[in-house]
Amino acid sequence: DVKVTQSSRYLVKRTGEKVFLECVQDMDHENMFWYRQDPGLGLRLIYFSYDVKMKEKGDIPEGYSVSREKKERFSLILESASTNQTSMYLCASRRTTGDSYEQYFGPGTRLTVT
Amino acid sequence: AQSVSQHNHHVILSEAASLELGCNYSYGGTVNLFWYVQYPGQHLQLLLKYFSGDPLVKGIKGFEAEFIKSKFSFNLRKPSVQWSDTAEYFCAVNLGSNYQLIWGAGTKLIIKP
């Protein structure tokens, strides 16, 4: 079974703090993704990485950065947390099988910025 | 811009009722289509996906979806729902060979026992 783990289920941080969210997958997948999930908005892509040290901006990258130094680990960084970054953050990795693929998700980190 | 619409944000049904959740997308090219489910307190998991072939796709837990290209739709169906189907359901679309999935806003389904 594919396993995607995230470092924290719940996190409370203060405005202006630097926040690190960690994601690890155990299936040697090349592609990894960070989303935020907000009620009524579905999932919005923040960043994705198609290989080690490679990254691409998604739809809402402002205020975020990422790091992928090892294949299994993809980190999301909030340089200076703000209250509008209070959200559920989901990490995913993608498995490709022939012409088909699917994303596997971690349990999410619910971040509250006060 | 490409988008994915899920028509109903909240649906309440009784057990044994039939279910159909709508999903429409706006893109005229090749698409790959997905339905994901998020049970309360659990992570998102794949219900089913369509890449090619038979437009009627069967997934886990008795769910199926039909891709109708002319209607840009990929509606999710289940003939008889159970209380355990209470969850939030998300439709997602991938455009051709792009890495990104475009997600609908989700439909919260509540099944009354």
Side-chain angles (χ1 to χ4, degrees), chain B residues 37-108:
Chain B
V37 61
Q38 190 171 35
Y39 297 104
Q42 295 189 27
H43 60 272
L44 270 164
Q45 55 187 284
L46 182 70
L47 265 181
L48 47 79
K49 60 185 179 182
Y50 173 80
F51 277 69
S52 62
D54 188 344
L56 185 61
V57 181
K58 296 203 183 295
I60 61 171
K61 306 189 183 208
F63 285 90
E64 64 179 31
E66 186 174 12
F67 171 47
I68 303 179
K69 191 173 180 180
S70 60
K71 294 185 178 180
F72 302 92
S73 71
F74 190 55
N75 291 356
L76 182 71
R77 301 194 293 246
K78 186 170 184 179
S80 176
V81 294
Q82 301 171 300
W83 176 78
S84 58
D85 293 324
T86 293
E88 190 160 16
Y89 293 79
F90 293 91
C91 179
V93 178
N94 177 262
L95 308 178
S97 59
N98 193 304
Y99 282 100
Q100 287 192 236
L101 287 180
I102 300 172
W103 294 79
T107 297
K108 285 190 176 172

Side-chain angles (χ1 to χ4, degrees), chain A residues 1-2 4 10 13 19-20 24 41 43 46 50-51 53-54 58 74 79 82 91 96-97 99 102 104 106:
Chain A
D1 261 4
V2 175
V4 180
Y10 300 93
K13 295 291 181 181
V19 182
F20 293 86
V24 177
L41 296 178
L43 276 69
I46 304 171
Y50 47 92
D51 208 341
K53 298 190 187 292
M54 309 299 273
F74 190 34
E79 298 290 342
S82 63
C91 175
T96 301
T97 310
D99 292 334
E102 61 188 84
Y104 292 84

Side-chain angles (χ1 to χ4, degrees), chain A residues 55-70:
Chain A
K55 60 187 180 186
E56 290 278 347
K57 292 180 180 179
D59 297 319
I60 52 164
E62 296 79 19
Y64 304 94
S65 62
V66 291
S67 172
R68 186 133 180 241
E69 296 297 317
K70 292 185 178 181

